Amino acid sequence: MNMIDPWGSSIIDYDKLTQQFGIKAFKDVLEDIPNPSKLMTRGIIFGQRDYKNIADCLENKKNFATMTGMMPSGRMHIGHKMVVDQLIWYQQMGADLYVSIADMEAYAARGISKSKSRELALEEYIANYIALGLDVTRDNFHLYLQSENDSVKDLAYTIGKKVTFSQMRSIYGFDNSTNIAHIYTPLLQVADILHPQLEEYGGPKPVVVPVGPDQDPHIRLTRDLATKFSEEYGFIEPSATFHRFMTGLTGEKMSSSKPKSAIYLTDSIKDATKKVKSAKTGGRESLSEQKELGGNPDECSIYELLVYHLVDDDSKLEEVRTKCLNGEIMCGECKMCAADAIEDMFEDLDAKRSDAHELAQTLL
Ligand code: SF4
C-alpha cells in the first residue's frame, strides 16, 4: 500500500505518543485494509488498538460496528468533519453505525440541560453530518440520546460493579469536589461503546471507535471492562483508531471556543474564505526569502487544510508540498487555491443544509 507522508518530521510527536501509551502504529495494519481512506493513507489516522479485528471484517465482509459519541456544547468546526468522514467511510464499508448524544455527560460535566443537548445535537451536529454526506436513513444507522437508551444506562450501572473510585480518580483526576453524576459519566461512555454487542443489538461483534488520542483513557477502561465482563456478555475488546488534531488557523489548537482558530461549518462563505486568507502559514518573512529558502508546509495551517479536507488527489498534494519546499509557490497563491476549495465546499453544504435540518428533526 502506498502511504504518503505529508507531514515530514512532525510525525515524531505522534510516534512518541504511541510509544508512551502503547498505541500501535496505524501503518502496521494499512496493508491489510482493502481500499483504505485518505485519512488512513495520509497518516492522519496514526494509531490503533486491535485494528486487526476490523481489518479482518473489512477483508472478509463480516459484521462489525463503528461507534462514536458527541457531547454537544458548541459549534461544529472543520476539525470535527474528520469524524464524519470516518463514519461515512465505515458506512460505505458496510458497518453498523452507532452515534450517541452524550446529554447525560453534558448535563453532569457542563450543566447543559437535556433539551438543549438534543437541540444542539440535531441542529448543529447531525444536520451537518447529513449535509456532509452521512446517510442517516439506512437501517444500520443508530442515533440515540444517552438519557433515553435504557440498554446503555443499565449496562453502565452493571459494569460499575467492577470499577472502584480510586481507579476512576487515577484515570480521570476526579477529586472530592467532583459531583457524583460526573464521576458516573465515564461508565456511560464505556456502555455506549459496549452496548452494540448486547444480544438485543445482534450479540458480540468487533466494534471500532475512531477518536483523538486524548480519548485513550476511555478506550483503555472500556477494553479492561470488556475483558472483566466477557464471560457474562461474550464481549470482544473494542478496537480503536486515533487521529491527529487539526492545528487552528492561528497556529494553536483548533477549538470551538476560539472563533479565530476555527472555520465553523455554519460560517458564511465570506467569513470562511476570509479566515483562510488570514490564516497562519509556514511562509517566510519576505517573498525573496521564500523563493530562496522555500516555505515550511509542516507548520502551515493552509497545507493542513489541503491534506485533511481540500485536496483529494495525492499527486496534487505532493506537488504543492514540493513546490512549497523549493520556493516555487508563494503563500498568497496557495491561500487563493484553498479559499476557492473552501468556497466550493461551503456552497455544497449550504445547498444541502436546509433539507438536512428537516431530516435531522425526524430522527429522535
Ligand atoms: Fe503553506 Fe502554501 Fe505557504 Fe507553503 S506556500 S507555507 S504550503 S501557504
Side-chain angles (χ1 to χ4, degrees), residues 182-200:
H182 191 178
I183 293 168
Y184 186 65
T185 55
L187 296 177
L188 286 163
Q189 294 190 18
V190 171
D192 276 331
I193 297 170
L194 294 179
H195 90 283
Q197 299 195 57
L198 294 174
E199 285 307 323
E200 63 257 45

Side-chain angles (χ1 to χ4, degrees), residues 279-284 290 294-304 306 320-321 323-325 328-335:
K280 181 178 174 289
T281 71
R284 303 279 175 179
Q290 185 148 344
N296 185 354
D298 296 328
E299 289 185 11
C300 176
S301 60
I302 294 293
Y303 183 67
E304 210 177 53
L306 302 181
V320 173
R321 182 179 177 80
K323 282 188 171 174
C324 171
L325 288 168
E328 292 164 14
I329 186 171
M330 299 297 111
C331 296
E333 186 187 337
C334 221
K335 280 181 169 179

Side-chain angles (χ1 to χ4, degrees), residues 70-224:
M70 68 177 82
M71 182 163 69
S73 61
R75 294 175 70 188
M76 190 172 165
H77 61 63
I78 201 162
H80 296 130
K81 176 177 172 287
M82 237 187 308
V83 172
V84 189
D85 289 339
Q86 293 182 73
L87 292 180
I88 292 169
W89 186 82
Y90 281 115
Q91 187 167 56
Q92 287 163 354
M93 298 298 125
D96 291 342
L97 299 188
Y98 290 82
V99 179
S100 164
I101 300 169
D103 59 340
M104 291 177 75
E105 183 182 358
Y107 173 72
R110 300 198 182 164
I112 297 171
S113 72
K114 290 176 190 172
S115 59
K116 187 70 190 167
S117 275
R118 185 182 193 283
E119 180 190 317
L120 262 177
L122 293 181
E123 290 183 8
E124 177 69 24
Y125 286 78
I126 299 299
N128 276 311
Y129 282 27
I130 297 168
L132 286 165
L134 188 68
D135 185 352
V136 297
T137 62
R138 290 199 199 174
D139 287 345
N140 63 0
F141 176 77
H142 308 272
L143 175 73
Y144 63 91
L145 288 151
Q146 270 178 341
S147 64
E148 292 181 0
N149 189 322
D150 289 342
S151 302
V152 167
K153 286 189 290 185
D154 290 350
L155 185 59
Y157 181 79
T158 305
I159 56 179
K161 175 83 172 128
K162 293 191 181 176
V163 189
T164 64
F165 176 62
S166 95
Q167 243 182 310
M168 294 296 260
R169 189 172 46 196
S170 75
I171 297 172
Y172 296 103
F174 295 145
D175 60 29
N176 291 345
S177 67
T178 312
N179 73 68
I180 301 292
H182 191 178
I183 293 168
Y184 186 65
T185 55
L187 296 177
L188 286 163
Q189 294 190 18
V190 171
D192 276 331
I193 297 170
L194 294 179
H195 90 283
Q197 299 195 57
L198 294 174
E199 285 307 323
E200 63 257 45
Y201 293 89
K205 64 177 81 63
V207 175
V208 61
V209 194
V211 289
D214 59 327
Q215 300 296 308
D216 191 44
H218 295 317
I219 301 296
R220 279 183 278 147
L221 177 64
T222 307
R223 286 166 57 81
D224 179 42

